[in-house]
Amino acid sequence: MVSSSLDKSLYFLKLTGITVQSRSLSVSASVYAGTPTIIDSGTVITRLPDEIYAALSKAVVTAIGKKRRRAAAYSILDTCYVGSGVGMAVPDVQLVFAGGAVLKLPSRNVMVDVEKGRTCLAFAAAGGVAIIGNRQQEGFKVVYDVGKGRIGFSAGECG
């Protein structure tokens, strides 16, 4: 965790990168460094600054290629495909944090079925802040060690 004067009631992390298919997004390290990143279980979809989101969307579209037909945007979600995310060849996406923590997202945390016959990338653009939402936290145990200023992720179903 990192401290921030923006809001003492929120938990901030230092997102240092995102990879798709083991390739880092083409985004300057200064963009990540200048972006406050909040982890929030009350926000459904992860929000990313425009430049980071655009690079993520482009990398996902490139990885999926012509395996799926694109669909119209759905609300704030603009990287959408025809069909369900179940059985879809979803590219590997990893969120990389300061200190070496890497959150490898299962396909169900990358794409979301928004209605019958349409699935979308479960990330959206959000201006100058990043929010790690609950869709990306699903299936992980998230441990907050406020005393030591650390957050840990453990893969596996919560129960």
Side-chain angles (χ1 to χ4, degrees):
M1 288 193 283
V2 294
S3 59
S4 175
S5 60
L6 293 175
D7 189 328
K8 299 289 185 196
S9 68
L10 299 174
Y11 295 109
F12 289 84
L13 306 171
K14 186 168 178 79
L15 181 66
T16 60
I18 298 176
T19 66
V20 176
Q21 298 297 87
S22 300
R23 291 185 195 100
S24 294
L25 298 181
S26 296
V27 175
S28 168
S30 65
V31 173
Y32 290 106
T35 301
T37 303
I38 301 162
I39 184 165
D40 182 24
S41 61
T43 299
V44 177
I45 299 297
T46 288
R47 310 295 174 88
L48 298 170
D50 296 338
E51 185 177 344
I52 298 171
Y53 173 75
L56 174 63
S57 175
K58 181 179 178 182
V60 168
V61 168
T62 298
I64 292 173
K66 299 194 183 297
K67 298 173 200 160
R68 283 284 179 108
R69 195 175 76 210
R70 293 289 302 270
Y74 182 89
S75 184
I76 63 171
L77 306 176
D78 64 5
T79 305
C80 300
Y81 291 88
V82 173
S84 170
V86 176
M88 182 177 183
V90 176
D92 292 329
V93 175
Q94 296 183 5
L95 306 179
V96 182
F97 298 97
V102 177
L103 186 58
K104 184 180 187 305
L105 300 175
S107 60
R108 71 178 181 275
N109 298 56
V110 175
M111 303 298 289
V112 58
D113 288 342
V114 294
E115 63 183 11
K116 186 174 178 154
R118 185 170 14 174
T119 190
C120 299
L121 179 62
F123 293 79
V129 67
I131 304 171
I132 308 301
N134 67 39
R135 180 69 185 200
Q136 284 62 44
Q137 296 176 54
E138 287 178 9
F140 291 93
K141 292 179 183 175
V142 182
V143 178
Y144 295 81
D145 185 341
V146 178
K148 292 185 180 176
R150 299 184 333 178
I151 294 179
F153 301 96
S154 175
E157 293 299 319
C158 298

